[in-house]
Amino acid sequence: MTVTVAEPEFARRFGMSTDEIRGRRILDLLHSPVPVRLRKKFTALSTGACRRFTETVTYRDGGGREFMAEVTGVAVRKPSGAVSGFVVSLRRAESAPRAAGIRRAGEKRGTQRGTRPEAADGPVLSALDAQVLEGVASGESTAQLASRLYLSRQGVEYRVGQMFRRFDAPNRPALVARAHALGMFAAGQWPPRVLPDRVR
């Protein structure tokens, strides 16, 4: 389980750049008082046994100082329903969550695209696209989204594909990480909700 894409602030927490943190094992970055439990929770996400977990961890910054934080892991699913990766959000008590997309062990890394600067206040989505993004962020499969939103599977995939291009993301974990990085979601809320000022 390695980091494939990370928000700059997430990487800075560990004293790294987004390029330096890419490829690092998430379990080397986060430490739990019960390491086996944290490993089991990530394994359960990876295998699809659970969709989300929250755990208290510690991590070290670039200067070696140790901090306590709450980590939340959310599975991201392919259209088939299989887990393609997960998004990890790290929250210190006084700060908003920072996100990173994680690739499952043994999964091939996707092609990295250039980062296209977004508007300072980020993109504004239609109400339907916001619901699709919220579903992707909470780990819903294409079939689950189609059923809940009364769309065809192709309709869901079309909207997700449009968001891949709009957010310059190669896959669902990167899309969710990018949306977190742009501040699209309300902080500390589950299931994830797009902020009202980001919906037209």
Side-chain angles (χ1 to χ4, degrees):
M1 294 172 277
T2 58
V3 177
T4 56
V5 63
E7 174 181 344
E9 182 60 26
F10 182 91
R12 277 195 295 272
R13 294 207 176 197
F14 300 94
M16 297 183 221
S17 69
T18 55
D19 288 335
E20 291 169 329
I21 203 167
R22 193 177 300 127
R24 299 282 181 123
R25 293 181 63 241
I26 193 68
L27 292 172
D28 291 341
L29 299 170
L30 304 174
H31 307 285
S32 169
V34 186
V36 173
R37 184 172 65 198
L38 186 60
R39 182 179 303 278
K40 283 182 180 178
K41 289 192 175 191
F42 275 111
T43 300
L45 269 187
S46 180
T47 61
C50 80
R51 290 175 55 168
R52 175 185 186 272
F53 77 85
T54 300
E55 182 77 20
T56 301
V57 296
T58 59
Y59 69 93
R60 292 187 185 277
D61 68 4
R65 293 173 297 189
E66 191 168 85
F67 296 93
M68 288 199 70
E70 183 180 87
V71 64
T72 300
V74 181
V76 178
R77 298 179 183 273
K78 294 180 181 177
S80 65
V83 176
S84 62
F86 35 94
V87 173
V88 173
S89 177
L90 187 65
R91 177 195 298 278
R92 282 178 48 194
E94 71 280 2
S95 60
R98 303 300 173 196
I102 308 298
R103 181 179 69 246
R104 291 185 352 187
E107 190 173 282
K108 185 178 159 190
R109 176 182 286 181
T111 305
Q112 296 294 320
R113 296 181 181 192
T115 56
R116 184 173 61 219
E118 296 283 348
D121 54 352
V124 177
L125 303 175
S126 69
L128 184 57
D129 284 343
Q131 288 180 302
V132 170
L133 182 59
E134 291 166 354
V136 170
S138 65
E140 289 184 69
S141 68
T142 297
Q144 290 168 323
L145 278 167
S147 175
R148 182 170 61 81
L149 299 175
Y150 302 103
L151 295 171
S152 67
R153 290 181 181 196
Q154 294 83 0
V156 170
E157 280 307 303
Y158 172 78
R159 291 185 174 282
V160 171
Q162 292 290 88
M163 281 188 271
F164 284 167
R165 287 183 283 287
R166 187 166 187 187
F167 285 83
D168 197 21
N171 53 40
R172 287 181 180 217
L175 172 64
V176 175
R178 182 97 168 120
H180 272 290
L182 292 170
M184 296 293 293
F185 298 113
Q189 187 172 3
W190 186 262
R193 292 289 173 248
V194 174
L195 293 168
D197 62 341
R198 299 299 175 89
V199 181
R200 64 172 173 261

